[in-house]
Amino acid sequence: MIKDKIKIVYPNLFDNELLNEFEELGLLKRFHQNDIIIDIDENINGIPILLSGAIKIMREDFDHGELLLYFLERGNTCSLTIDCCLENKQSKIRAVAETDGELVMLPSVKMDEWLAKYKSWRKFILNSYNNRLDEMLETIDNIAFNTMSDRLKKYLLDIASINKSKFINKTHQEIAYELNTSRVVISRLLKALEINGFLILNRNEIRIAEF
């Protein structure tokens, strides 16, 4: 069952022998929106591969606020989690379900063995690192060079894309928390974006006009 689900997401990538190991050792896990999948300072015992849904990866700052780093979507894994597995370190991120979904958790104790044994696993891990590095660089550029208004627009478009809907059901406070700013700032910027025609503010709902 597990290997069939992974083959749908990744056709022709993994060796049959490796897929059989996934089937034997993997654990299917369903999650719901806002579930904490991995928490900060948690010991990492498994490597998640996302089969459906979306997960947001958050980083805690020195003042115990949080910043959204990137989203994981179908077929992704978290390279920061892989790094913790390889180095036997505690998690430095919080993974929170953005939507309902399903993942398979693979045992971290098999990481070194699979890296040495399976070319397809090495390719998967390296591609995952490269993809997450690109996303991290994009996040850094976004914070360093873009205004908060630009960051907010990108965030809203990302959420709309993930949910495949122009309607966003998040409070101003939730958005502020994920962008590590204040609710007052977000409310002011949302109003400005509405005036510019980018979105429409409804009660407890934001509609992206340009999506």
Side-chain angles (χ1 to χ4, degrees):
M1 184 179 183
I2 288 177
K3 68 179 182 180
D4 292 334
K5 287 176 177 286
I6 290 180
K7 285 170 70 174
I8 291 172
V9 178
Y10 282 107
N12 305 317
L13 175 58
F14 296 115
D15 308 86
N16 286 330
E17 187 179 349
L18 179 56
L19 287 169
N20 289 335
E21 293 206 48
F22 289 168
E23 184 70 39
E24 179 183 356
L25 301 171
L27 177 66
L28 277 177
K29 180 178 180 180
R30 293 187 181 276
F31 56 83
H32 301 286
Q33 186 178 31
N34 297 323
D35 283 352
I36 296 177
I37 312 299
I38 298 170
D39 210 349
I40 293 170
D41 293 332
E42 180 179 326
N43 291 321
I44 307 298
N45 299 314
I47 306 154
I49 295 181
L50 194 55
L51 301 176
S52 64
I55 296 173
K56 55 192 173 189
I57 304 300
M58 312 289 292
R59 183 79 164 95
E60 195 174 69
D61 65 20
F62 293 111
D63 297 319
H64 300 290
E66 288 191 325
L67 177 67
L68 175 66
L69 297 180
Y70 51 79
F71 290 99
L72 298 178
E73 297 185 75
R74 181 176 181 266
N76 292 162
T77 190
C78 180
S79 56
L80 296 176
T81 300
I82 294 170
D83 181 63
C84 289
C85 290
L86 288 171
E87 300 295 330
N88 196 26
K89 298 185 296 187
Q90 293 179 315
S91 173
K92 301 300 182 184
I93 55 93
R94 178 173 290 122
V96 182
E98 178 67 24
T99 67
D100 295 350
E102 185 179 39
L103 59 81
V104 57
M105 193 69 76
L106 301 171
S108 58
V109 294
K110 302 295 286 186
M111 273 287 296
D112 287 338
E113 178 186 332
W114 287 349
L115 284 171
K117 189 175 180 181
Y118 298 111
K119 181 179 178 180
S120 61
W121 182 250
R122 293 196 298 273
K123 179 180 178 181
F124 172 72
I125 295 299
L126 288 174
N127 285 343
S128 297
Y129 267 116
N130 288 334
N131 291 337
R132 298 294 82 75
L133 177 60
D134 287 344
E135 289 177 337
M136 287 291 292
L137 291 174
E138 184 179 355
T139 297
I140 292 169
D141 287 346
N142 194 32
I143 294 171
F145 303 119
N146 290 342
T147 65
M148 181 55 72
S149 180
D150 290 334
R151 288 177 59 197
L152 177 58
K153 287 177 68 174
K154 181 181 183 305
Y155 168 86
L156 294 173
L157 289 172
D158 285 345
I159 296 295
S161 177
I162 285 169
N163 289 283
K164 297 179 175 58
S165 171
K166 60 186 176 182
F167 296 98
I168 297 173
N169 297 303
K170 285 183 178 285
T171 67
H172 295 192
Q173 183 59 58
E174 287 174 321
I175 297 171
Y177 184 74
E178 295 187 0
L179 293 180
N180 203 12
T181 187
S182 71
R183 183 192 60 79
V184 173
V185 168
I186 292 300
S187 296
R188 174 173 56 81
L189 292 176
L190 286 172
K191 190 62 180 176
L193 290 174
E194 182 178 41
I195 291 171
N196 291 335
F198 177 75
L199 54 80
I200 298 171
L201 295 173
N202 298 316
R203 185 177 179 83
N204 299 321
E205 184 181 75
I206 299 168
R207 180 164 68 87
I208 306 296
E210 299 181 9
F211 181 71

